Amino acid sequence: MKKIIVAIDGYSSCGKSTMAKVLAKTVGYIYVDTGAMYRVATLYAMRNNMIQEVEGQKKVDEPALNQAIEKGEIQVSFQLDPQTNLPLACLNGEVVENEIRTLEVSNNVSFVSALPFVREFLTQQQKNMGKKKGIVMDGRDIGTAVFPKAELKIFLTASPEVRAQRRFDELVAKGDKDVKFEEVLKNVQERDYIDTHREIAPLRQADDAIVIDNSNLTKDEQNELLLQYFKQAVEK
């Protein structure tokens, strides 16, 4: 059976990563969460005080962040969790999977990911990962910028309210007792705007992508649907 590249794009908190992980595990492919890669870069910037709020606007210290990348001070990698066999995001060898999923990182990641030099840095890493195919990769620009010739492209969407509720439930389950639904919804809406309006590789549906709206789908239903599309793509 031939190996293909599966590119899954879509809005934040659509469940892209969960969906991609299940498919990769089912068909024996490698899974890469590109959103986690941008979150790791954002975490580095936050830890090193490279993101400041000036007159109510977030400002990234671009020269400092670019210099850190050029000096090789930001190493983004994954290591397999021996219990789940799923990848854990690492910053310079340190597992930061839980830290990058906080609302604080969510509130900053769109500003960092919009920077051209950050996208160039991580896009090249992503392209290298897909050279041998047999990979499922999710993000914002996988089917448009990273793998425009991917054999299967999925564009995942759901209403902002549904996505905010999912994200809110996830944060509460992780023990965040101070999070408010209105804050999460605002974050989702702001990220949608930034992701779709950035100059470099904005979030958009590839012309040949298959759209899946999972607002009213169960996880089992969406996973079965994706598996069907995968089988069709492999058989072409």
Side-chain angles (χ1 to χ4, degrees), residues 61-222:
D61 188 341
E62 296 182 34
L65 183 57
N66 194 21
Q67 186 177 52
I69 289 173
E70 290 179 345
K71 287 184 175 181
E73 294 174 359
I74 305 177
Q75 298 296 323
V76 181
S77 61
F78 293 93
Q79 73 177 45
L80 281 181
D81 184 325
Q83 294 183 323
T84 64
N85 206 35
L86 291 172
L88 300 173
C90 301
L91 169 59
N92 297 331
E94 173 196 354
V95 175
V96 291
E97 185 66 34
N98 290 332
E99 203 168 346
I100 65 170
R101 305 297 176 184
T102 62
L103 188 57
E104 188 178 6
V105 171
S106 295
N107 285 333
N108 287 291
V109 66
S110 290
F111 300 100
V112 173
S113 63
L115 300 174
F117 61 88
V118 174
R119 299 206 73 81
E120 182 181 351
F121 166 57
L122 293 178
T123 294
Q124 190 54 54
Q125 287 193 25
Q126 291 154 15
K127 287 182 176 180
N128 291 340
M129 291 174 180
K131 284 182 177 178
K132 294 181 179 179
K133 298 198 176 185
I135 193 168
V136 181
M137 190 175 286
D138 74 273
R140 301 287 192 281
D141 61 350
I142 311 306
T144 54
V146 183
F147 297 122
K149 295 183 179 180
E151 291 86 350
L152 177 58
K153 299 178 186 177
I154 300 292
F155 191 84
L156 194 62
T157 185
S159 72
E161 290 77 14
V162 167
R163 290 184 282 129
Q165 188 64 55
R166 289 172 181 167
R167 183 67 178 141
F168 175 78
D169 292 343
E170 183 181 296
L171 290 169
V172 170
K174 289 183 177 179
D176 190 341
K177 297 179 180 179
D178 298 323
V179 66
K180 293 180 175 58
F181 175 79
E182 292 75 17
E183 292 178 355
V184 179
L185 178 59
K186 182 182 178 184
N187 171 254
V188 165
Q189 293 169 330
E190 287 178 346
R191 289 184 66 189
D192 285 355
Y193 182 84
I194 294 170
D195 289 345
T196 55
H197 287 78
R198 63 175 178 239
E199 291 184 16
I200 306 297
L203 168 64
R204 67 177 179 84
Q205 177 191 333
D207 293 337
D208 54 347
I210 298 168
V211 178
I212 297 178
D213 185 332
N214 69 3
S215 297
N216 299 306
L217 293 178
T218 66
K219 288 183 179 180
D220 287 343
E221 288 172 339
Q222 73 171 15

Side-chain angles (χ1 to χ4, degrees), residues 49-67:
N49 300 313
M50 294 179 181
I51 304 176
Q52 303 291 334
E53 191 159 323
V54 181
E55 296 180 353
Q57 297 290 323
K58 292 282 180 71
K59 298 290 184 182
V60 181
D61 188 341
E62 296 182 34
L65 183 57
N66 194 21
Q67 186 177 52

